[in-house]
Amino acid sequence: MPTEKTDGLSGEIRTLKEKRKAVILSHFYQRPEIQEVADFVGDSLELSRKAAATDAEVIVFCGVHFMAESAAILSPDKVVLLPEKNAGCPMADMVDAEALRAAKSRTPGAVVVCYVNTSAVVKAESDIACTSANAVKVVNSIPGDKPILFIPDKNLGRYVAGKTARNNMTVWEGFCNTHHKLTRSDVLKVKAKHPEALVLVHPECRPEVADLADAVASTSGMLKFAGESPAREFIVCTETGILHQFRKRYPGKEFYPASNKLCCPNMKATTLEKVRRALATLEPRITVPPDVREKALKSLERMLAIK
Ligand code: 13P
Ligand code: SF4
């Protein structure tokens, strides 16, 4: 709900944004007022593409650390700001460069596919990145006889292995703390109340939750599905910030969260006040050392080349 305070802060942010020649990018999981003040709201893939293409001088990344790092890798000449410097991704922290190097030595010849939810140093040790929107395409771009090491999300990895019928994929044991909390019984309870509703599931959810889905899709994929479907009601199995976009885009339809547990504290750590402060001070800045950047860029560029 907009208030006098949020309206005032949003106005100040717009003025500062012009002054700084900045662009504000927001993930779908951000607070509604952040999504409203952003120039572009999207999923991880769309935000990477925007960060690579922008001619703004400053990118304010309303998301989590790995997203701002990806922007810094793709746009090294821009100032990249992460309004809350401690907004991390627990899943990205489940793999580090040392553990990855050890796994690579155990699976020689494997192509390392890293989910974009990884640090720059881990991307630098990987061959190609992917997001949940393009993971199937990325894996299909790798010759079938090449073994794959997929990091770090076991749920996305297993979903993609099933979709691509690959039996030569080793999947890391990471997971998203938020999506992994959702159980089959949570979804079935909401479904019992709304039996006509279609179930939309993000591939970061457990396989037994994905089995209940009418559509398994990335955040942008879910939005597209709801827009194109003749159905009027949907149960949304992903972070609740996206409900703002569903309701804004499709006001004639009903969207129910699968559970109130689906709240990522890191995504919610960014506030209007922190965005205002970031634009005023040009801090906190996210940078990537040139040697790491050069290698990590290859993984991201290979991904972005896949249409
Ligand atoms: P997508 O927006 O790519 O579906 O990713 C979800 C996510 O968890 C980002 O942290
Ligand atoms: Fe990481 Fe999950 Fe939060 Fe996305 S929703 S930032 S994967 S913890």
Side-chain angles (χ1 to χ4, degrees):
M1 263 302 208
T3 62
E4 231 168 82
K5 185 158 178 244
T6 58
D7 281 350
L9 275 169
S10 302
E12 272 186 69
I13 288 169
R14 289 192 181 97
T15 309
L16 277 165
K17 191 182 71 170
E18 296 302 313
K19 185 172 146 204
R20 297 294 197 191
K21 298 191 175 54
V23 65
I24 302 179
L25 304 182
S26 164
H27 191 268
F28 290 128
Y29 297 163
Q30 293 285 297
R31 296 167 184 267
E33 62 274 21
I34 298 287
Q35 297 186 35
E36 287 304 306
V37 86
D39 297 290
F40 184 79
V41 188
D43 71 0
S44 306
L45 181 61
E46 293 164 337
L47 294 173
S48 293
R49 289 196 191 283
K50 285 281 168 196
T54 184
D55 53 14
E57 290 175 13
V58 174
I59 299 172
V60 183
F61 216 116
C62 300
V64 291
H65 192 268
F66 74 81
M67 296 181 171
E69 254 190 350
S70 295
I73 293 165
L74 291 163
S75 287
D77 304 329
K78 319 268 180 217
V79 171
V80 178
L81 305 173
L82 181 67
E84 168 48 67
K85 72 173 185 324
N86 295 319
C89 169
M91 183 208 284
D93 295 338
M94 291 178 189
V95 56
D96 61 26
E98 201 186 333
L100 176 55
R101 279 195 291 270
K104 278 161 70 172
S105 68
R106 290 194 298 272
T107 39
V111 177
V112 180
V113 179
C114 67
Y115 193 21
V116 72
N117 299 41
T118 43
S119 65
V121 281
V122 165
K123 287 187 180 79
E125 285 285 338
S126 302
D127 296 298
I128 185 165
C130 73
T131 73
S132 55
N134 65 9
V136 169
K137 275 191 190 165
V138 166
V139 166
N140 276 334
S141 76
I142 298 163
D145 59 342
K146 285 253 181 207
I148 292 177
L149 176 56
F150 188 97
I151 57 167
D153 185 9
K154 63 179 176 184
N155 291 330
L156 177 65
R158 284 176 196 151
Y159 171 74
V160 172
K163 278 298 230 193
T164 56
R166 299 283 292 227
N167 54 13
N168 56 356
M169 250 171 91
T170 306
V171 175
W172 204 263
E173 282 296 316
F175 57 89
C176 162
N177 283 349
T178 300
H179 287 85
H180 210 64
K181 279 189 198 132
L182 185 68
T183 64
R184 219 178 136 81
S185 89
D186 292 328
V187 183
L188 290 173
K189 267 187 219 148
V190 184
K191 182 83 181 165
K193 274 198 207 146
H194 307 287
E196 300 300 320
L198 298 188
V199 179
L200 308 179
V201 176
H202 194 279
E204 285 176 17
C205 293
R206 294 165 184 267
E208 61 268 28
V209 171
D211 285 346
L212 297 171
D214 293 286
V216 176
S218 67
T219 48
S220 55
M222 287 183 182
L223 284 158
K224 188 163 176 277
F225 183 92
E228 290 171 358
S229 166
R232 293 205 58 263
E233 293 176 274
F234 300 86
I235 297 166
V236 180
C237 304
T238 194
E239 213 278 347
T240 50
I242 200 172
L243 291 166
H244 178 66
Q245 285 297 317
F246 276 114
R247 291 170 181 154
K248 186 174 167 181
R249 292 183 190 194
Y250 314 121
K253 300 191 177 193
E254 293 292 336
F255 299 95
Y256 312 113
S259 163
N260 289 330
K261 289 186 277 193
L262 285 167
C263 179
C264 173
N266 289 285
M267 282 287 183
K268 297 295 183 280
T270 303
T271 59
L272 285 177
E273 178 51 41
K274 290 176 191 174
V275 174
R276 190 199 61 76
R277 197 163 55 217
L279 277 164
T281 61
L282 292 183
E283 295 288 348
R285 270 187 215 203
I286 302 298
T287 55
V288 177
D291 54 328
V292 175
R293 180 194 165 256
E294 208 179 298
K295 291 188 198 150
L297 180 64
K298 290 202 179 99
S299 296
L300 285 172
E301 281 184 338
R302 284 192 196 113
M303 169 186 88
L304 292 173
I306 291 174
K307 297 293 170 215

